[in-house]
Amino acid sequence: RNELVRQGMAVIAASVESILSRKSNEITGSLSLKAIELVVRSINTLMTDQANQGARYNLAVASVVCGMAASSTALGLSYSIAQSVHLVTGMDFYSALNILLPHVMEYNLTSSASKYVQIARALEQDIHDISIIEAAIKAVEGVRKLYLYLNVAQRLSDFEIAKSTLGEIAELAAEYPLIKNTPRDMERNEIETILITAY
């Protein structure tokens, strides 16, 4: 079960990163949204029936489709910070990625609101009769609701990481070329702010 959850959430994180990438286009965006839809559709089934072959197939297809999009767009901020968390603390990369994703989404929300509306729809959030910003917020809420349903850890502090390491993590993440793919320009202190919020 844990491996299925990890795989599903990793696909969602990579798909969101691909959608938000400055290199994204209509084709990669469509592929990434499809990957998110497939995960949402299959993960609910797999939580009650882990042997369901149709749901497992959908999750596998989601991974492939996500990989196709990400190979063209490159990943960004969530990946860079999660990799830095892993290197500095030894924390599992995928757990760090999951924790950071909604916080990075919040940081980029106003710069990519229309893309977030599409992400909210892929996450099966109700966005009828609300503003674009409200719908965009639903995308972040959709990820958090999925975390609660799947019992995914949402705080770095849950992993016994010392708060004193956050500055070092931010320093390392700021050196990653991939952060240039994020919709907003990023500096070390802003990365540290995201880490503090996620702590």
Side-chain angles (χ1 to χ4, degrees), residues 1-197:
R1 181 183 184 276
N2 288 342
E3 185 54 39
L4 291 171
V5 170
R6 189 165 87 149
Q7 182 184 352
M9 295 315 300
V11 168
I12 287 180
S15 296
V16 170
E17 290 260 277
S18 178
I19 291 166
L20 297 182
S21 171
R22 292 185 181 190
K23 299 177 182 177
S24 68
N25 56 51
E26 199 170 316
I27 295 171
T28 60
S30 296
L31 289 171
S32 298
L33 290 167
K34 186 63 179 177
I36 294 171
E37 289 171 6
L38 286 168
V39 171
V40 172
R41 190 184 311 159
S42 58
I43 205 76
N44 292 329
T45 302
L46 289 170
M47 289 306 97
T48 54
D49 180 13
Q50 292 175 41
N52 187 294
Q53 292 304 305
R56 283 180 171 270
Y57 175 79
N58 280 341
L59 197 56
V61 171
S63 295
V64 173
V65 170
C66 166
M68 290 167 62
S71 66
S72 298
T73 57
L75 301 180
L77 190 55
S78 298
Y79 181 92
S80 300
I81 305 176
Q83 187 65 27
S84 301
V85 170
H86 170 68
L87 290 172
V88 172
T89 70
M91 178 181 168
D92 174 65
F93 167 77
Y94 291 102
S95 297
L97 186 65
N98 290 338
I99 289 168
L100 290 160
L101 176 64
H103 298 283
V104 170
M105 287 177 72
E106 283 178 338
Y107 178 81
N108 287 312
L109 192 146
T110 53
S111 62
S112 306
S114 59
K115 291 182 176 181
Y116 278 63
V117 174
Q118 295 175 309
I119 294 169
R121 195 175 288 118
L123 288 166
E124 298 183 348
Q125 296 299 294
D126 183 5
I127 56 171
H128 294 333
D129 300 323
I130 57 177
S131 70
I132 289 178
I133 290 296
E134 287 171 325
I137 292 168
K138 287 274 191 180
V140 184
E141 288 178 0
V143 170
R144 290 205 162 109
K145 284 178 185 174
L146 202 52
Y147 283 2
L148 288 171
Y149 173 70
L150 299 173
N151 199 27
V152 173
Q154 298 189 53
R155 292 278 162 202
L156 292 172
S157 53
D158 292 339
F159 290 82
E160 298 180 3
I161 290 174
K163 200 169 187 177
S164 57
T165 62
L166 300 185
E168 184 183 351
I169 293 166
E171 195 80 48
L172 181 60
E175 298 300 318
Y176 272 76
L178 288 176
I179 69 165
K180 293 183 173 63
N181 291 330
T182 202
R184 288 174 64 186
D185 290 331
M186 202 77 194
E187 293 181 2
R188 177 202 171 282
N189 63 332
E190 291 167 317
I191 296 173
E192 189 168 0
T193 299
I194 288 172
L195 283 162
I196 290 168
T197 308

